[in-house]
Amino acid sequence: MRSRQRVRVALIVGSVAFLAPIWISVYLAWNQAIANEKQAGLAYARDVMRRSEDTADQFSEAIRRLNHDHLVPCSPQEIELMRQIDISSSHLQMIARISGEVIECTSLGTVQPIYVGKPTLMTEHGTQEWVHFNLSPQQSNRLGLLSRDGVAVLIDPASVIDIQKDGKDVGLSLVVPSTNDHVRIVDSGGNFRPGWFRPAAPGSAISFMDDGYIISQVRSRKLDLAAFCVMPRFEAYTQVRHFVAIFVPIGLLCGCGLAWAVMYIARTRSSLPAMLRTAARRRQFYVEYQPVIETATRRCVGAEALVRWKLDGSVIGPGNFVPLAEESGVITQITENVISIVARDLPSLLHQDPAFRVAINLSATDLRSMATIGLLKELLLTSGGSPRNIIIEATEHGFLQGPRSREVIAGIRSLGFDVAIDDFGTGYSSLSCLQNLDLDILKIDKAFVDSIGTDGATSQVVLHIMNMAHSLKMCMVAEGVETESQARFLESRGVEFAQGWLFGKPQSIDALCRLLLEWKQPEKPAAIPMPQPRRAVV
């Protein structure tokens, strides 16, 4: 019995001696991982606050310049000054004169009164704010309107929280601390709970844990704003695993590591990002083409290549997988798939019309990679087409990615490709986007086309967008045209090209070739012309 007891004690002591260093190392590693995640959360919150304060500084500068010059309110001279301020501001989308609840004139040239209703809140510094402000019912994204001292500015709050998150599950929010219910101006992901909005002194930063989450808050020193970052606590487990591996015996490490690897691979393979990677590797994406017509002749002169994904018999639209593909880095492989499909289909289209043009959409990631230029060169070699047969499209957000994207865009244009800005007016940029970027084509978003013939404020904005494009010598393509009255209006306003269900839904390459054969005329359809050198906006 005593021998057996000694064996038991030895096993217990040995186990404790074996496990104690592991437990201590795990404990220390866990505390360090939590500290690291808190610092990361504070860094995200500080980035959001920095962008918010930059926006506020531009707002204050706009007020100073407009009220200092003492121009007649809403006179042509003041509207021109508004436009100059707008162009020079990276965060302001529109400058306006406001009186009470009515916008009297804007930097877009609007002089008709626009009723905005009562403000959502007033900050402790006297700024009135309209949160989730819509210019029209057709507007897809919610903007923010700020007003002080008779000057109003339109901003996109989403641009404040649109930061690189390094693949982490991060929720961001911008709130007004002085309000009783802590009004949220904007948020992105995350399950924000009222109890997390703890009072913090101006200029301070705090971080704490609650119910499995790490919450970080940064309070502005000069604004009535606080930026919040919420991350699940499990983000820290990744760091802990590396520390644990050092102290676990080789045999146990191998066994546990193998089990963990099997579970990780199984979980990864069943996740949507993994399915996207597999689909891209197996080239399971396909392309449909939406016809683009010339408004003056109603002939099909081009098409936009739209990527589709067929999963288990169901077709998944790009809106459901492209954002995740961009976040997980799979978008570059999908773009390669699309370009290779266009290279395969283009000869059939050029056989029907040598001047036919296909528009290919590039993501923000594609515009940061010089490999994109190589893909486009390969497209020309394999398809037998010329740069005049291809149009490169990207959204405003894709263009505003810093010097790298400008370098890639310049390389694309040096090859002879035309570059189009898609969904203009619905993203994060101001008028300076068109002024600073060397672009050829402006695509008018469906939200603005839908406003044609209505009494909404957007119906006035679309006219100013057209005037800007004309002044910059840019071609225009209207998206989402669904009625004959819209088509006639666009033609009368000098919009050269249009696409939408009025002219044809997205279709296969075979259906498009049949359509071209039916619409084929004795004379060759005109292609989208190369824009002339642009003049500066005055």
Side-chain angles (χ1 to χ4, degrees):
M1 290 294 296
R2 293 181 179 178
S3 176
R4 292 180 180 178
Q5 289 178 348
R6 285 195 296 267
V7 170
R8 290 196 188 99
V9 172
L11 288 174
I12 293 173
V13 173
S15 298
V16 171
F18 171 75
L19 295 175
I22 297 176
W23 183 88
I24 294 173
S25 65
V26 171
Y27 177 79
L28 295 176
W30 173 250
N31 286 340
Q32 184 61 47
I34 292 295
N36 291 343
E37 291 303 307
K38 287 183 177 180
Q39 290 299 318
L42 289 173
Y44 290 132
R46 288 191 177 98
D47 197 0
V48 171
M49 186 54 62
R50 177 186 58 79
R51 295 182 179 210
S52 302
E53 292 181 345
D54 287 347
T55 302
D57 290 341
Q58 292 181 8
F59 179 27
S60 298
E61 178 63 13
I63 295 173
R64 187 194 67 79
R65 292 182 62 182
L66 283 174
N67 292 339
H68 176 75
D69 287 359
H70 302 294
L71 299 174
V72 177
C74 292
S75 64
Q77 293 81 8
E78 185 174 66
I79 292 177
E80 176 60 23
L81 178 58
M82 290 182 188
R83 185 176 291 111
Q84 293 175 8
I85 297 172
D86 191 359
I87 291 175
S88 64
S89 303
S90 58
H91 294 289
L92 307 184
Q93 295 199 16
M94 184 186 75
I95 316 293
R97 272 290 179 191
I98 188 169
S99 177
E101 299 173 6
V102 177
I103 291 178
E104 298 177 338
C105 58
T106 73
S107 58
L108 298 177
T110 306
V111 294
Q112 296 84 359
I114 301 174
Y115 178 71
V116 297
K118 294 185 180 298
T120 307
L121 58 93
M122 177 178 288
T123 69
E124 61 185 12
H125 300 296
T127 298
Q128 292 182 317
E129 296 190 24
W130 286 259
V131 181
H132 305 320
F133 178 76
N134 277 355
L135 280 174
S136 71
Q138 293 81 18
Q139 180 180 310
S140 58
N141 60 324
R142 295 184 181 275
L143 304 176
L145 186 68
L146 309 179
S147 169
R148 191 173 77 244
D149 298 335
V151 178
V153 296
L154 194 66
I155 64 172
D156 187 347
S159 65
V160 174
I161 60 174
D162 183 30
I163 61 177
Q164 186 68 32
K165 302 173 184 175
D166 298 327
K168 292 185 177 182
D169 185 8
V170 177
L172 299 172
S173 181
L174 190 65
V175 306
V176 181
S178 65
T179 56
N180 293 332
D181 52 352
H182 304 295
V183 173
R184 274 184 278 173
I185 296 177
V186 66
D187 57 50
S188 172
N191 180 22
F192 292 91
R193 304 174 186 176
W196 289 344
F197 297 97
R198 299 182 179 179
S204 64
I206 61 174
S207 188
F208 58 93
M209 290 193 300
D210 181 61
D211 195 22
Y213 290 89
I214 299 173
I215 301 96
S216 302
Q217 177 189 172
V218 174
R219 177 82 179 268
S220 175
R221 185 181 302 277
K222 59 182 180 179
L223 302 176
D224 188 11
L225 291 175
F228 283 82
C229 173
V230 177
M231 293 188 297
R233 193 169 58 182
F234 66 74
E235 294 282 356
Y237 288 126
T238 303
Q239 298 184 43
V240 174
R241 280 198 296 266
H242 298 297
F243 287 91
V244 170
I246 299 175
F247 298 91
V248 175
I250 299 299
L252 182 59
L253 177 62
C254 292
C256 294
L258 180 60
W260 175 84
V262 171
M263 290 187 293
Y264 179 82
I265 293 173
R267 184 170 63 251
T268 302
R269 287 189 175 276
S270 64
S271 65
L272 187 55
M275 295 169 66
L276 282 171
R277 284 190 289 270
T278 301
R281 187 173 61 254
R282 297 178 179 176
R283 296 187 175 273
Q284 295 175 346
F285 295 95
Y286 67 98
V287 167
E288 290 184 336
Y289 296 91
Q290 183 163 38
V292 175
I293 64 99
E294 187 178 42
T295 56
T297 63
R298 298 300 177 92
R299 288 180 292 174
C300 182
V301 297
E304 180 179 1
L306 303 173
V307 64
R308 299 288 188 265
W309 181 22
K310 195 166 187 177
L311 179 64
D312 297 331
S314 300
V315 176
I316 303 177
N320 295 320
F321 67 84
V322 167
L324 181 59
E326 291 182 336
E327 182 179 339
S328 59
V330 187
I331 191 66
T332 54
Q333 296 171 272
I334 296 177
T335 301
E336 291 178 13
N337 283 194
V338 171
I339 291 178
S340 65
I341 293 172
V342 172
R344 180 198 65 194
D345 295 343
L346 191 59
S348 300
L349 298 171
L350 297 184
H351 178 72
Q352 299 288 342
D353 179 7
F356 197 81
R357 310 194 77 182
V358 175
I360 299 175
N361 291 279
L362 296 184
S363 69
T365 303
D366 297 322
L367 291 180
R368 291 195 300 267
S369 173
M370 296 301 293
T372 301
I373 297 177
L375 291 175
L376 295 176
K377 290 180 180 179
E378 183 68 21
L379 166 63
L380 298 180
L381 291 175
T382 56
S383 67
S386 74
R388 303 302 303 149
N389 297 121
I390 300 295
I391 298 172
I392 301 303
E393 291 186 12
T395 62
E396 297 176 30
H397 175 61
F399 288 115
L400 301 177
Q401 297 297 314
R404 187 64 172 177
S405 64
R406 295 177 184 273
E407 183 180 352
V408 173
I409 293 169
I412 292 174
R413 297 191 78 254
S414 68
L415 295 176
F417 294 98
D418 282 349
V419 179
I421 181 169
D422 197 8
D423 301 337
F424 178 77
T426 64
Y428 310 139
S429 71
S430 64
L431 298 178
S432 59
C433 180
L434 295 183
Q435 184 72 13
N436 297 332
L437 294 171
D438 196 9
L439 306 175
D440 307 293
I441 302 167
L442 185 149
K443 299 197 72 175
I444 304 174
D445 187 74
K446 183 180 184 298
F448 296 109
V449 174
D450 288 342
S451 70
I452 293 175
T454 68
D455 295 329
T458 313
S459 62
Q460 298 298 320
V461 175
V462 69
L463 297 176
H464 296 296
I465 290 177
M466 294 175 185
N467 292 335
M468 283 190 295
H470 284 309
S471 65
L472 294 171
K473 303 298 184 182
M474 297 179 71
C475 288
M476 286 180 285
V477 181
E479 297 181 297
V481 180
E482 298 180 352
T483 67
E484 183 63 31
S485 61
Q486 291 174 344
R488 289 197 297 269
F489 177 88
L490 293 167
E491 180 184 356
S492 68
R493 293 290 178 169
V495 177
E496 299 94 333
F497 305 95
Q499 61 186 85
W501 285 14
L502 177 65
F503 312 112
K505 296 182 180 181
Q507 54 198 268
S508 66
I509 179 63
D510 293 335
L512 181 60
C513 288
R514 288 194 298 269
L515 182 65
L516 288 178
L517 189 60
E518 293 173 1
W519 286 3
K520 194 171 185 180
Q521 301 294 331
E523 64 274 10
K524 182 167 61 178
I528 298 177
M530 181 70 176
Q532 298 299 317
R534 298 180 290 154
R535 299 194 304 266
V537 179
V538 295

